[in-house]
Amino acid sequence: MSEKFDPFVAEWTSFATSPKYSLVEKCLKLSQLLEYPNLNFNDYIQKINDIGKSLQLSITNIDNPTYRISMLNEHFFHRYGFKGDADDYYNPKNNFLNEVIEKKSGIPITLSILYAEVAKHIGLDLRIVGFPSHVIVKYKEEIIVDPFNQGKLLTIDDLNEILYRNYGDDVEFLPEFLNELRPEHVLIRMLRNLKNSYTHSYAYDKAMRCTNMILGLEPNMPEDIRDKGVLEHYLLNNSEALKFLNRYLELEPNAEDADFVLELIRSIREKINQ
């Protein structure tokens, strides 16, 4: 689907897909473009490095990943005071890495990014895992860690409990739920969180900006094409709304929400023809 050139999306896409920049830098770029135009990346990179360097000083030469995770937990959660923000979980600020560094609380995805970054300073290569509804990290295939819950080591029973808590009996554990998230998909997950937060607070322009940033990375994502159509409708751009809603049904003709989308299309056409 051809789109008009958008310099904002072009800047974002170029930065977010460039191998020159780390995931942390890409997260900070997201913050800068959406809410913090004067944000200085180096300030926050330095803060993360300071946490990692002070951790290095407390580590012995024991090359045991469980020991190192234990020391990382003590340092990150107890000495520096990072924690999961259970009280204000859906606050958009929890998706901005600079805010999470400042207030020392966040949601699973942002805490996992910081936790894995600090872990690099002690030789721990932790990978971010896109577990449904709850991002976590893993060390190789041996150790699963939950940074949102003070670095708790997770068992299969724990993972099943997370699924049950969020989906009831509708979702069963599958091994691919523990696959590593590529950096672009980490960013997309954060942008979807923000899109939902902004939509729920009627900040449709900001929600649209997030949607366009997602589609800059993955142009054919059906749910985001649908959401772009819905947002265009909210913003009274009805011709554009029809274009994206119809595109969604082309991509997902048997979608569970097809009836809702068809009814929305019918309603929009009626308004256009009035």
Side-chain angles (χ1 to χ4, degrees):
M1 173 176 280
S2 62
E3 282 288 294
K4 294 177 186 174
F5 178 76
D6 183 336
F8 170 85
V9 173
E11 179 185 356
W12 161 248
T13 304
S14 174
F15 195 100
T17 58
S18 172
K20 290 193 301 183
Y21 303 113
S22 69
L23 177 58
V24 165
E25 289 172 309
K26 292 173 182 182
C27 291
L28 292 170
K29 184 67 170 178
L30 183 155
S31 295
Q32 185 186 65
L33 288 173
L34 284 172
E35 292 282 2
Y36 308 91
N38 298 319
L39 186 146
N40 186 324
F41 289 18
N42 290 334
D43 289 348
Y44 290 96
I45 291 168
Q46 185 60 52
K47 287 180 180 183
I48 297 170
N49 287 339
D50 287 346
I51 298 170
K53 287 173 182 174
S54 61
L55 173 59
Q56 282 177 328
L57 299 175
S58 65
I59 289 284
T60 69
N61 289 327
I62 299 171
D63 189 16
N64 177 314
T66 306
Y67 159 74
R68 294 192 170 230
I69 288 170
S70 173
M71 295 299 291
L72 171 59
N73 287 345
E74 175 64 30
H75 194 76
F76 191 75
F77 299 111
H78 298 290
R79 179 174 174 186
Y80 276 88
F82 283 92
K83 63 179 181 178
D85 188 354
D87 295 331
D88 199 15
Y89 190 93
Y90 295 102
N91 188 327
K93 289 182 178 181
N94 282 324
N95 291 280
F96 296 121
L97 213 58
N98 53 307
E99 284 283 358
V100 173
I101 292 168
E102 291 288 357
K103 67 191 185 76
K104 294 189 166 53
S105 66
I107 52 175
I109 192 164
T110 40
L111 288 174
S112 291
I113 293 164
L114 287 174
Y115 185 87
E117 191 66 21
V118 172
K120 292 176 183 176
H121 288 266
I122 54 170
L124 275 176
D125 182 16
L126 301 180
R127 300 303 172 106
I128 296 171
V129 170
F131 196 75
S133 76
H134 196 92
V135 172
I136 49 181
V137 300
K138 67 179 179 180
Y139 176 77
K140 298 183 177 177
E141 302 301 322
E142 308 163 10
I143 303 173
I144 312 295
V145 184
D146 183 2
F148 185 74
N149 286 301
Q150 302 285 294
K152 178 182 177 183
L153 301 187
L154 299 177
T155 64
I156 293 297
D157 285 345
D158 294 323
L159 295 170
N160 276 314
E161 173 58 29
I162 292 170
L163 290 175
Y164 181 78
R165 192 165 62 240
N166 288 284
Y167 303 103
D169 293 322
D170 293 339
V171 177
E172 292 185 8
F173 176 81
L174 297 172
E176 53 262 40
F177 289 167
L178 295 177
N179 288 350
E180 178 186 356
L181 272 183
R182 286 174 39 221
E184 287 84 356
H185 290 147
V186 174
L187 298 169
I188 286 172
R189 198 147 166 170
M190 294 168 72
L191 286 165
R192 283 188 176 148
N193 289 343
L194 285 162
K195 173 182 68 177
N196 292 334
S197 291
Y198 288 140
T199 301
H200 290 150
S201 59
Y202 308 105
Y204 299 134
D205 285 326
K206 288 182 178 180
M208 179 66 83
R209 182 163 275 201
C210 293
T211 304
N212 289 337
M213 290 168 76
I214 294 167
L215 292 172
L217 297 175
E218 291 280 359
N220 295 309
M221 295 290 263
E223 79 174 77
D224 301 294
I225 289 171
R226 175 202 62 205
D227 290 352
K228 185 169 172 68
V230 172
L231 288 165
E232 292 284 16
H233 169 56
Y234 290 159
L235 292 165
L236 305 180
N237 302 322
N238 285 324
S239 295
E240 287 294 297
L242 288 178
K243 181 171 75 171
F244 287 98
L245 293 171
N246 281 312
R247 175 61 175 152
Y248 171 64
L249 292 178
E250 288 175 20
L251 292 170
E252 295 285 335
N254 300 313
E256 288 185 4
D257 62 353
D259 288 345
F260 162 78
V261 174
L262 285 166
E263 178 59 27
L264 182 57
I265 289 171
R266 185 194 65 75
S267 171
I268 292 170
R269 282 185 175 141
E270 281 185 359
K271 288 179 181 176
I272 290 174
N273 293 328
Q274 283 177 352

